[in-house]
Amino acid sequence: MADSCSHWWHAPFYLALSVTLAFIAISTGIRSGNPQSKLSLQQSLHHNLSINASRALRLRGGFTVFAALLQISPDLFLSSPDSTIFAVQDPAFFNVSLPPWAIKELLLYHTSPSRLPFNLLLRIPAGNCVSTLLLDKNAKITKIDPKRRSVEINNVLITHPDLFLGNGLSVHGVAGFFLPVGKEIVQSSPCDSNTSHLEWPRIVQLLSSNGFVSFAIGLYSVLDGLTGDHANLTSVTIFAPPSLGFLSSPSPLLNKVVKLHLVPSKYTFQELSSLPQGTVLNTLLPGAEVKISFNNSTRSLSVNGVEITAPDVLRSRNFTVHGISRALGVYNQVQNQIV
């Protein structure tokens, strides 16, 4: 009796939460169409994934709000093929006084459209940004300590890493909200004024989910060396082949192969097409270049004689991915460096 009385002051919070859950459930339901329609396979997978994640949060304790949201409105968090949810502990919600639409935006800000298990977060240099589902707002990785295995985002500690890991979904528990909460939505994020860093983990995820799986695996395998050698790189053009036959090669060779497909500037297909015939571009592989050529007979653009088959297949403010028909002629470029 005493225990229940000691928590009487939480009643307004739970009432507000009920209203918020109802608002989110209705708004996501309207967006997704007729609720009576038969669930698609993707929706069914999302449902099972969210139920399992919700169960994991309930078993851990202290994450009732996010557990309920995952069960009632999974589409809020799983609107992209891959997601990472930074679940805020319940006490942080007790003093929140926001309208339902603003709480919804706050939740979107704690969800990233990339799958970022804790081991991958530990590999991202401090100062890099993590994209979120809230428009163009990003969160910033402010502290990394691999020895202590700790990560802070917007100066908020990840207290419970890998609470749940599923197919395309990671859930981490965090100590509080990533930004101070006012009557309106959160203040500007630390990354809004500094989005120059490349989000390599996000690029890897996007490549993988868009059919460039083997190249994504190769890129992920050399991320440590890539971020170390090119920490100040702010933009990149990626020529991604459908398959990469060097995944079992020794690490130094794979590193060179991947770097040959990366140009340290962003070029859209239109910009590549406007370059003079035979323009040579440097790559991230020292001493290796790629030549841009236009074939008048096929009306196609090629890189070192390899056709660009999927121009601008992925595009962001600081990177562009062009799909090419096959891997570039690696040995012609790097044979003198592989001895």
Side-chain angles (χ1 to χ4, degrees):
M1 180 68 177
D3 182 67
S4 62
C5 288
S6 67
H7 292 84
W8 66 269
W9 54 275
H10 288 171
F13 160 73
Y14 287 112
L15 178 61
L17 176 61
S18 299
V19 174
T20 300
L21 291 176
F23 170 82
I24 292 174
I26 293 171
S27 62
T28 54
I30 291 173
R31 188 182 70 243
S32 58
N34 183 359
Q36 300 300 323
S37 62
K38 186 177 180 180
L39 288 176
S40 67
L41 176 60
Q42 188 65 31
Q43 288 175 313
S44 178
L45 292 174
H46 279 179
H47 175 75
N48 293 334
L49 194 62
S50 64
I51 290 296
N52 291 334
S54 175
R55 185 181 297 116
L57 289 176
R58 292 182 187 279
L59 289 174
R60 182 61 184 82
F63 298 95
T64 305
V65 175
F66 269 83
L69 287 165
L70 270 166
Q71 189 164 1
I72 295 173
S73 300
D75 289 344
L76 178 68
F77 304 99
L78 305 179
S79 59
S80 63
D82 299 292
S83 300
T84 296
I85 300 171
F86 298 97
V88 182
Q89 297 181 34
D90 291 339
F93 285 89
F94 293 155
N95 295 321
V96 172
S97 179
L98 292 173
W101 64 265
I103 293 181
K104 180 178 179 180
E105 289 192 350
L106 187 64
L107 297 171
L108 292 174
Y109 184 66
H110 289 76
T111 308
S112 173
S114 301
R115 186 175 183 273
L116 301 169
F118 195 65
N119 281 337
L120 183 54
L121 284 171
L122 285 170
R123 296 162 63 102
I124 305 175
N128 278 265
C129 297
V130 175
S131 57
T132 76
L133 293 181
L134 181 58
L135 302 176
D136 293 326
K137 291 191 177 294
N138 300 315
K140 186 176 184 179
I141 298 179
T142 47
K143 187 176 181 180
I144 296 284
D145 191 336
K147 291 184 178 180
R148 295 185 178 181
R149 293 187 62 78
S150 67
V151 176
E152 291 184 10
I153 297 179
N154 288 12
N155 297 309
V156 175
L157 179 67
I158 295 180
T159 55
H160 299 76
D162 294 340
L163 274 175
F164 177 80
L165 294 176
N167 184 22
L169 175 63
S170 299
V171 181
H172 308 295
V174 295
F177 293 113
F178 284 162
L179 289 170
V181 180
K183 292 185 178 180
E184 298 298 329
I185 192 52
V186 293
Q187 301 172 4
S188 297
S189 87
C191 274
D192 289 342
S193 59
N194 180 19
T195 56
S196 60
H197 292 285
L198 286 166
E199 297 179 66
W200 285 111
R202 181 183 177 221
I203 293 174
V204 169
Q205 291 289 338
L206 289 171
L207 285 166
S208 179
S209 60
N210 282 272
F212 302 98
V213 177
S214 64
F215 187 78
I217 293 172
L219 179 58
Y220 176 80
S221 300
V222 302
L223 270 187
D224 280 344
L226 190 63
T227 55
D229 295 341
H230 306 279
N232 297 321
L233 187 65
T234 58
S235 62
V236 68
T237 298
I238 302 173
F239 297 106
S243 62
L244 195 66
F246 297 85
L247 296 182
S248 60
S249 302
S251 182
L253 174 58
L254 180 59
N255 186 56
K256 291 182 169 99
V257 170
V258 170
K259 284 185 175 182
L260 179 62
H261 291 76
L262 308 178
V263 171
S265 294
K266 177 188 171 185
Y267 290 95
T268 65
F269 186 74
Q270 182 177 359
E271 290 169 337
L272 290 175
S273 301
S274 65
L275 294 175
Q277 177 77 338
T279 294
V280 172
L281 302 176
N282 291 324
T283 70
L284 290 187
L285 179 61
E289 303 168 332
V290 291
K291 180 185 288 188
I292 307 300
S293 304
F294 183 75
N295 190 316
N296 287 314
S297 60
T298 60
R299 310 296 297 175
S300 63
L301 206 62
S302 64
V303 184
N304 283 6
V306 177
E307 184 179 355
I308 296 177
T309 53
D312 296 328
V313 66
L314 293 170
R315 188 169 166 183
S316 179
R317 69 183 68 188
N318 55 7
F319 73 86
T320 302
V321 177
H322 305 294
I324 56 178
S325 59
R326 56 179 172 81
L328 299 179
V330 176
Y331 285 105
N332 292 334
Q333 293 284 333
V334 303
Q335 60 182 349
N336 294 329
Q337 306 176 41
I338 303 176
V339 180

